[in-house]
Amino acid sequence: MAFLSRIQIYDALASLLDEVDARYKKAKEGYEFDFEQEVAPFLDKNKDLVYRIEEIGTDARFDAAAREKVVEEFLELLMSCHAKRFSKKMYKEKFKFINMWIQHAHKEGLIT
């Protein structure tokens, strides 16, 4: 992935969450994503961005373990958002967890 400033990383992560949400809604409406043509390229394009979360600073709340969990949950969400059978409750929990920590990191100046 090309060099991105921290604010560009925040913007890209926020946009990625929006795209994940749109893909999940599309899957829930019955759209079946083609793995080779749609899912694999999406994963390849975005997994490096998700790993950039590991470069975000930490604070008393957003420690290294929390940061690692956000990466893990985000990677899982990148894949599962394409499956109609993925539980809406589980999706919402993961989405809110990831968004909460990204917003916290941004608000606290960990992504500036």
Side-chain angles (χ1 to χ4, degrees):
M1 174 167 268
F3 173 78
L4 295 175
S5 71
R6 288 185 177 183
I7 197 67
Q8 288 171 315
I9 291 171
Y10 167 77
D11 289 344
L13 289 169
S15 291
L16 180 55
L17 275 174
D18 289 342
E19 186 172 354
V20 163
D21 198 44
R23 284 175 175 252
Y24 182 70
K25 287 175 183 170
K26 194 172 181 179
K28 283 307 232 185
E29 291 170 356
Y31 183 82
E32 292 190 28
F33 288 89
D34 178 88
F35 185 81
E36 294 298 320
Q37 297 297 316
E38 297 172 288
V39 179
F42 177 76
L43 296 173
D44 290 341
K45 175 185 170 195
N46 294 301
K47 67 182 177 186
D48 288 340
L49 175 61
V50 172
Y51 282 120
R52 299 291 288 271
I53 294 170
E54 294 174 343
E55 299 171 13
I56 294 173
T58 59
D59 63 11
R61 291 183 53 218
F62 190 59
D63 59 14
R67 189 174 54 194
E68 186 176 312
K69 183 72 173 165
V70 171
V71 170
E72 180 182 301
E73 295 287 322
F74 211 150
L75 290 172
E76 184 178 338
L77 202 60
L78 286 182
M79 182 65 178
S80 356
C81 72
H82 298 98
K84 181 179 182 176
R85 70 186 182 282
F86 189 57
S87 153
K88 188 171 187 172
K89 180 181 178 193
M90 182 74 75
Y91 170 79
K92 283 185 172 191
E93 287 175 11
K94 289 181 181 298
F95 187 92
K96 284 169 51 172
F97 174 80
I98 295 163
N99 189 50
M100 175 195 71
W101 283 117
I102 289 173
Q103 294 305 320
H104 169 81
H106 181 64
K107 180 182 172 193
E108 296 301 318
L110 304 174
I111 307 175
T112 56

